[in-house]
Amino acid sequence: MSSAVTAGSRALRLRLLTPVWVSDPKVWRTEVLAGLVVALALIPEAISFSIIAGVDPEVGLFASFTMAVVISVAGGRPAMISAATGAVALVIAPLTREHGLGYLTAAVVLAGVFQVVLGALGIARLTRFIPRSVMVGFVNALAILIFLAQVPEMRDVPWVVYPMMIGALLLMALFPKITTVVPAPLLSIVVLTVITVSAGIAVPAVGDKGTLPSSLPLPAVPDVPFALDTLTTIAPYALAIALVGLMESLMTAKLVDDITDTPSNKTRESIGQGIANIVTGFFGGMGGCAMIGQTMINVKVSGARTRLSTFLAGVFLMLLCVTLGPVVSDIPMAALVAVMIMVSFATFDWHSIAPKTLKRMPAGEIAVMVITVAVVVATDNLAIGVVVGSVTAMVIFARRVAHLAEVTSVTDPDGTSVVYQVTGELFFASSNDLVGQFNYVGDPDRIVIDLSAAHIWDASSVAALDAIETKYAQRGKAVEITGLNDPSAQLHDRLSGSLVTSH
């Protein structure tokens, strides 16, 4: 009896611990097809990013393979795609140009180490300070960048490319209304490839971007001198890769959280990005981070939700390159451009620019969103845009809160004392005006400052209160501060008397 109960409890525990997709054929189909679509879309982008970084196409393709496979296990956000990215390519291009591939891979390994350390220190918690207006601006800027990245593929091309792209877009828009068994992007890619190959139509294809690798990557130690000079050379680039990669990855994870209504482990994702970059560096890849465009294909367009799609995207990428290179090379770029245009339109938050929304939103929130979009598009760097947008939001918030601190006074009927009631948050922005709101000459000899409706946040506020006491003391008047809550009292007691310079 006891053995049967034990066996039953083990079976129940196994079912609870086993992911749902393991036993669900529909989920398997969705994840496998989503991984295939992402792999096909990754190939030309990885090649393009390799060109930006100044390395052979296989370096970007190897990076996409190892990043996707490793992050599918080590990452904290299921279904998010990590691979070689344009942001990382822009950072490492000068290093490659001046010192070569060995220094690039060494910088990628060091960047991974930085990310593991930063992740362990809890850098992911900083994402809570990113305002919603910055997040909306980030998403809209991303959509614009995805679209702008397709524009070069639409210039100086045969006229037949345009009807092919329109046909692919119509197919992706209409086919899901008939069935969702096969992802519309995959069908579009297959149909356009069959048409161009069978009809012998000469249009730009994936093979025009560069030669695909014919074998799997092998691990190797970066070919650099093990010396202090090497470390000082690669460290700045490695830190830049680590910060840009974490910023984009954490923002993408937050976006996927919102789309799927599921939480993710941001600390694990930060550390996982580091592990993936370390492995990528040792396999000769150019490093990377979360790819927002490919993640949107995987999550929003194809409906993937598990780590399986991410893992298969990397596996299919290598299999397609190594075993089906000639076939993949014939895929028309028009099909992939159409997929990315569809992703761009699906990613953009159209509700955020609707007239009704703009009328209701505070002007400051709209300004933050616009500034974030403008900076991202101008710099082609999502991380810079998020930082500038967040700082702008903080400044606007500080100005808004600074005016919320109010001072009212009540004089006793006998005229021997006056009580000042201070209301609001006291910090560097609001406390600057505090000193000027007291009547130092006309007040009686006893002044009470009641802070029961206020909170002291920083040293600037303590210094302002000290300055007020000093001004009254110079006129022979006594000041009593009352009503401090515990945190405010502790800060005031610790700093009072040590911040005002005597003259």
Side-chain angles (χ1 to χ4, degrees), residues 58 70 141 144 192 200 239 257 279 307 337 358 371 394:
E58 65 178 21
V70 175
I144 294 171
L192 262 64
L239 184 59
D257 290 352
V279 173
R307 298 176 185 275
V337 169
L358 295 176
I371 289 172
M394 291 176 188

Side-chain angles (χ1 to χ4, degrees), residues 154-418:
M154 295 184 278
R155 292 176 180 163
D156 302 322
V157 294
W159 68 269
V160 72
V161 168
Y162 301 111
M164 288 175 63
M165 288 174 51
I166 293 172
L169 289 169
L170 288 174
L171 187 58
M172 284 186 284
L174 299 176
F175 186 74
K177 297 181 179 180
I178 301 173
T179 179
T180 57
V181 173
V182 178
L186 178 59
L187 182 65
S188 300
I189 293 170
V190 172
V191 169
L192 262 64
T193 303
V194 170
I195 291 174
T196 55
V197 173
S198 60
I201 303 174
V203 293
V206 171
D208 299 331
K209 290 289 184 180
T211 305
L212 301 181
S214 57
S215 61
L216 295 174
L218 297 174
V221 177
D223 184 17
V224 294
F226 287 88
L228 182 60
D229 287 345
T230 302
L231 181 61
T232 56
T233 300
I234 66 173
Y237 294 97
L239 184 59
I241 293 171
L243 294 176
V244 169
L246 285 178
M247 178 76 75
E248 293 207 14
S249 298
L250 293 173
M251 290 292 289
T252 306
K254 190 174 181 181
L255 178 59
V256 177
D257 290 352
D258 294 339
I259 292 172
T260 61
D261 290 325
T262 56
S264 62
N265 188 331
K266 305 298 190 301
T267 297
R268 177 177 172 179
E269 181 61 38
S270 302
I271 296 173
Q273 288 289 330
I275 295 172
N277 271 310
I278 292 172
V279 173
T280 297
F282 282 120
F283 274 87
M286 58 180 274
C289 61
M291 289 194 75
I292 308 174
Q294 310 305 332
T295 298
M296 291 300 101
I297 292 178
N298 198 45
V299 175
K300 206 163 189 178
V301 179
S302 301
R305 292 293 183 270
T306 76
R307 298 176 185 275
L308 181 62
S309 58
T310 306
F311 175 80
L312 290 178
V315 172
F316 283 147
L317 171 66
M318 271 295 101
L319 288 178
L320 289 169
C321 292
V322 174
T323 63
L324 298 174
V327 176
V328 174
S329 297
D330 289 334
I331 295 175
M333 285 301 300
L336 299 174
V337 169
V339 171
M340 296 310 295
I341 290 175
M342 182 62 74
V343 170
S344 172
F345 276 85
T347 302
F348 196 93
D349 187 351
W350 297 101
H351 176 71
S352 67
I353 60 172
K356 289 183 179 179
T357 305
L358 295 176
K359 287 179 181 178
R360 295 173 182 173
M361 289 285 287
E365 301 280 322
I366 297 174
V368 169
M369 181 182 70
V370 171
I371 289 172
T372 302
V373 172
V375 173
V376 170
V377 174
T379 63
D380 200 26
N381 191 312
L382 291 163
I384 294 176
V386 170
V387 171
V388 172
S390 298
V391 171
T392 303
M394 291 176 188
V395 172
I396 292 174
F397 174 76
R399 288 191 62 186
R400 187 182 303 161
V401 176
H403 299 294
L404 298 180
E406 297 180 353
V407 179
T408 56
S409 63
V410 177
T411 304
D412 278 357
D414 58 8
T416 59
S417 66
V418 61

